[in-house]
Amino acid sequence: MPIASPEVYAEMLDRAKAGRYAYPAINVTSSQTLNAALKGFADAESDGIIQVSTGGAEYLSGPSVKDMVTGAVAFAAYAHEVAKKYPVNVALHTDHCPKDKLDKFVRPLMQISKERVAAGQEPLFQSHMWDGSAVPVAENLEIAAELLDRAAEAKIVLEIEVGVVGGEEDGVENAINDKLYTTVEDGLAMVEALGLGEKGRYMAALTFGNVHGVYKPGNVKLRPEILNNIQEAVAAKYGKEKPLSLVFHGGSGSLLSEIREALDYGVVKMNIDTDTQYAFTRPVADHMFRNYDGVLKIDGEVGNKKQYDPRTWGKLAEAGLAARVVEACEHLRSTGTKIK
């Protein structure tokens, strides 16, 4: 199937919320990690989301270019081509974009999609994230409203963050404190500014103790009930049951019971990066240690070309990441839910 159209993406998100499951959103940094994610979704018979961060997009453009838009466009072009060969629907998304990078990343990409839609084509990406967690809520929502207008014109879904995810990602670091918990007041302010779909479709990353990075299970103190409290407050005010489509960030180290509870409260997308990075790298490390004298030319020898051929260890890395995507689909209940 091709990359999901705006209509198919909307159906994906609606089905997820109604069915109390979520799509793994897999961060990728290369054609290999993209191919592995696609295989994982296909193996799980799950639709899914594949995304690039600002750092990932810059990396994709090459070390001599280091341009986020160039890397993102190249990634999307490749994904649009190879995804046709897989029997699942996949949406392309850009992850965390702070204020100082909007003009160098999200806004130019939205303009490209707007021009494509005006020419009768599909948008290049299906959704983009504005990360306003580092600015005051009022400013966050003011920028979100402007971006939502642009997104609606380009048939794109906007993702915003209201609250703060702790830890570090792509050089952006937030302290682990009470700011990690979005308040009901913040949730109501968000809906007052952005509406409930009439101004354009959006997803909200409300925070309930989420932390980016590497943590052992049980070390992250999540309070999923916060999501339910905000859903109920908005529902009571606007008369719509479970009105918000929510996103779960910083899921490494979360207990499965906490993840499943968040799904029940309207989470339709869960970002997965740290775990898939390790799943990709671990088989490579294993190969290198096991075949030390083959991958290196030791003591004047020639090594073993079959062992240092990037395809040899690359296939192992892709298989590791694909297997972790399958596991993520099982955790998020999306296994077997692909739109036929």
Side-chain angles (χ1 to χ4, degrees):
M1 296 180 186
I3 296 296
S5 67
E7 294 75 20
V8 169
Y9 192 28
E11 183 181 353
M12 285 170 57
L13 299 177
D14 288 341
R15 284 164 59 107
K17 186 161 65 169
R20 299 192 175 199
Y21 61 88
Y23 299 106
I26 308 300
N27 280 70
V28 300
T29 54
S30 65
S31 59
Q32 283 188 300
T33 49
L34 166 63
N35 288 335
L38 287 169
K39 184 181 187 304
F41 285 125
D43 289 348
E45 297 188 341
S46 170
D47 299 322
I49 299 169
I50 297 177
Q51 59 191 27
V52 289
S53 64
T54 55
E58 182 181 279
Y59 180 82
L60 278 157
S61 74
S64 298
V65 179
K66 293 186 176 181
D67 180 79
M68 293 180 286
V69 172
T70 297
V73 171
F75 153 75
Y78 183 86
H80 275 266
E81 193 61 36
V82 296
K84 297 175 185 177
K85 302 295 184 179
Y86 289 86
V88 289
N89 300 286
V90 176
L92 304 182
H93 177 79
T94 60
D95 198 14
H96 292 272
C97 182
K99 182 181 177 181
D100 64 341
K101 293 181 179 176
L102 283 173
D103 287 338
K104 295 179 286 186
F105 191 51
V106 164
R107 288 191 177 111
L109 291 174
M110 282 187 169
Q111 182 61 29
I112 290 171
S113 285
K114 180 181 177 181
E115 292 170 1
R116 286 170 60 98
V117 168
Q121 301 173 298
E122 301 288 6
L124 188 62
F125 282 82
Q126 286 62 62
S127 51
H128 293 291
M129 183 191 177
W130 148 236
D131 183 353
S133 61
V135 302
V137 172
E139 182 182 3
N140 181 351
L141 296 177
E142 181 180 354
I143 294 173
E146 174 253 318
L147 292 173
L148 186 60
D149 287 342
R150 290 173 179 248
E153 291 178 338
K155 297 184 178 181
I156 292 169
V157 176
L158 181 68
E159 180 184 331
I160 69 167
E161 184 170 312
V162 180
V164 176
V165 176
E168 186 273 335
E169 182 174 63
D170 263 1
V172 178
E173 187 167 357
N174 291 310
I176 299 175
N177 54 35
D178 288 344
K179 292 183 179 180
L180 302 188
Y181 304 97
T182 305
T183 66
V184 168
E185 291 73 22
D186 289 341
L188 291 170
M190 175 186 72
V191 175
E192 184 175 347
L194 305 181
L196 286 173
E198 68 277 8
K199 298 180 181 180
R201 183 154 192 161
Y202 66 95
M203 297 180 283
L206 305 181
T207 57
F208 51 104
N210 322 52
V211 180
H212 288 133
V214 185
Y215 296 88
K216 292 182 179 179
N219 284 8
V220 176
K221 307 303 180 185
L222 294 178
R223 294 170 54 197
E225 69 274 9
I226 286 176
L227 302 181
N228 191 44
N229 294 342
I230 295 172
Q231 286 276 30
E232 289 184 343
V234 174
K237 183 172 181 178
Y238 293 91
K240 296 182 69 173
E241 183 181 357
K242 206 191 308 186
L244 302 175
S245 295
L246 304 179
V247 180
F248 189 155
H249 287 207
S252 296
S254 302
L255 300 174
L256 182 58
S257 60
E258 295 170 332
I259 293 173
R260 293 279 174 83
E261 185 179 355
L263 302 184
D264 292 340
Y265 299 149
V267 165
V268 298
K269 172 180 180 281
M270 180 174 173
N271 290 10
I272 302 176
D273 187 15
T274 301
D275 290 350
T276 47
Q277 285 178 345
Y278 184 77
F280 185 82
T281 301
R282 181 64 180 83
V284 179
D286 182 70
H287 176 79
M288 298 303 173
F289 284 129
R290 289 178 183 274
N291 301 284
Y292 183 80
D293 56 349
V295 298
L296 297 179
K297 297 180 179 182
I298 300 172
D299 296 330
E301 295 297 327
V302 295
N304 185 331
K305 183 180 184 300
K306 290 184 179 180
Q307 292 177 353
Y308 61 72
D309 184 333
R311 290 170 294 184
T312 300
W313 48 265
K315 289 175 184 177
L316 299 174
E318 290 180 33
L321 195 158
R324 184 62 182 83
V325 172
V326 171
E327 181 183 358
C329 292
E330 293 171 352
H331 288 172
L332 299 182
R333 303 176 180 149
S334 71
T335 301
T337 64
K338 70 175 183 177
I339 300 173
K340 302 296 192 293

